[in-house]
Amino acid sequence: MQILVLGSAAGGGFPQWNCNCVNCRRARAGDPAASPRTQSSLAVSADGERWLLLNASPDLRQQILANPPLHPRRGNRHSPIAGVVLSNGDVDHVAGLLTLREYQTLSVYASDRVHGVLRDNSVFNVLNPAVVARRTLPLDSAVEIGGFDGAPIGLRVTAFEVPGKVALYMENEKAGPGFGTQSGDTIGLEIRAANGRHFFYLPACAALTPELGARLRDAPLAFFDGTLWQDDEMVSAGVGAKTGRRMGHMSIAGEDGSLAQLAVLGVRRRIYVHINNTNPILLAGSPERLQVEAAGWEVAYDGMEIRL
Ligand code: MLT
Ligand code: MN
Ligand code: ZN
């Protein structure tokens, strides 16, 4: 199985268009310690021929250009991208679907809840149902992924519930502390090839529950929510009023952070993805970067390639 990190930054990317925080300034200035990153997405393939996107970011066009395995190979119109799996309805994970118009056959897998979002936003009708199959990912059961015609591409995906929050643009302030969050709004994914090789992908996770811990225990590889270093990071950087908790992301540092919480699970390879532009782990050589690396974590970068 091959995995390509198409984009390793959180929503907004790094640098973010309107952000003048220290990190974004350094990235914009071309500081080699602050490599730019596009928005959150992976590509996976069992055979190197047919690829599955895990989320479709607003930067997808640029990401396809940067990754030759995703370029057309035959005829006048072709794409090795057979399908897309969506892990939530956030803009950074669904807006790239609009890039995949142009009457190209494709399948789109998501929870019922996220399919509802696509249905309710008619702009996604540019994905013509004659060529784009929308299929539901049930929770806790492995699904054989196929392209538009259903032909298997050698990957099985199991979706499971993770603590999270409804997409920002769907929040209902009157609906109480969850802002109207429902089951299926945020899912984690286990991707498994026919040879049994597998990994987990959780670009958004608000807390590590005992159930989630049990699922991840001794896993060979997990890509995990690296949005913020600490909960109030955006507040103290002066770029926003929201905490990580408020946005549905557990932070890296602290007792209830992912660094400590995942340390005991025996996950052999741990990689932070969906990293917000304010996060100090984005800076090579920063104390926070050195701390996660010393704990055995890797910080994803665009173009990172993994063979399992
Ligand atoms: C998130 O991960 O919290 C969202 O992508 C935020 C956003 O919509 O920009
Ligand atoms: Mn996001
Ligand atoms: Zn910034």
Side-chain angles (χ1 to χ4, degrees):
M1 179 156 50
Q2 270 175 274
I3 306 165
L4 296 174
V5 176
L6 303 184
S8 48
F14 180 49
Q16 176 174 310
W17 73 282
N18 65 343
C19 190
N20 206 20
C21 76
V22 180
N23 284 3
C24 285
R25 274 207 301 275
R26 286 179 65 169
R28 233 173 254 119
D31 184 333
S35 301
R37 285 166 163 83
T38 61
Q39 294 166 80
S40 182
S41 173
L42 304 186
V44 195
S45 178
D47 58 10
E49 292 293 320
R50 295 162 302 174
W51 290 81
L52 179 66
L53 300 184
L54 307 183
N55 291 318
S57 99
D59 300 319
L60 184 54
R61 178 179 175 278
Q62 176 187 346
Q63 293 168 341
I64 292 172
L65 285 172
N67 287 275
L70 303 181
H71 295 177
R73 280 201 266 283
R74 10 172 230 281
N76 291 330
R77 285 289 174 97
H78 170 255
S79 173
I81 299 170
V84 186
V85 176
L86 304 174
S87 68
N88 61 26
D90 285 0
V91 170
D92 55 347
H93 288 161
V94 303
L97 290 175
L98 303 178
T99 296
L100 298 175
R101 65 197 187 281
E102 316 293 4
Y103 217 73
Q104 186 65 45
T105 58
L106 199 72
S107 57
V108 178
Y109 291 83
S111 67
D112 273 332
R113 181 76 172 152
V114 170
H115 274 307
V117 172
L118 303 183
R119 261 197 314 276
D120 291 346
N121 288 273
S122 56
V123 67
F124 290 106
N125 292 340
V126 290
L127 298 178
N128 189 322
V131 290
V132 178
R134 299 187 189 188
R135 303 196 183 113
T136 295
L137 267 187
L139 294 177
D140 300 313
S141 95
V143 169
E144 184 83 51
I145 300 295
F148 173 72
D149 60 2
I153 61 167
L155 296 170
R156 292 165 75 86
V157 171
T158 305
F160 51 90
E161 186 107 49
V162 299
K165 186 186 67 63
V166 68
L168 179 62
Y169 57 88
M170 288 179 65
E171 285 184 3
N172 176 1
E173 295 279 351
K174 296 191 191 98
F179 306 101
T181 300
Q182 292 180 25
S183 170
D185 277 331
T186 306
I187 55 176
L189 303 171
E190 187 210 66
I191 295 87
R192 188 175 284 267
N195 62 7
R197 300 287 167 93
H198 65 286
F199 71 96
F200 289 92
Y201 176 55
L202 293 89
C205 181
L208 193 86
T209 59
E211 298 75 37
L212 189 52
R215 201 183 279 273
L216 295 177
R217 186 168 290 283
D218 298 327
L221 169 64
F223 291 90
F224 199 82
D225 185 341
T227 309
L228 299 182
W229 172 255
Q230 56 193 10
D231 199 47
D232 64 352
E233 173 180 313
M234 292 178 60
V235 183
S236 49
V239 299
K242 281 187 187 166
T243 61
R245 255 180 223 110
R246 171 65 184 79
M247 297 188 298
H249 297 289
M250 68 191 283
S251 301
I252 295 176
E255 233 167 73
D256 53 359
S258 54
L259 201 58
Q261 296 281 308
L262 270 83
V264 294
L265 296 181
V267 179
R268 290 198 286 287
R269 201 166 170 190
R270 286 154 285 153
I271 304 176
Y272 281 122
V273 290
H274 191 278
I275 307 162
N276 193 59
N277 58 76
T278 50
N279 191 328
I281 69 166
L282 285 172
L283 299 178
S286 69
E288 295 84 357
R289 171 73 153 266
L290 296 177
Q291 193 180 329
V292 300
E293 287 172 348
W297 282 83
E298 294 165 76
V299 175
Y301 52 89
D302 293 17
M304 186 180 200
E305 197 179 335
I306 290 169
R307 278 169 198 267
L308 261 192

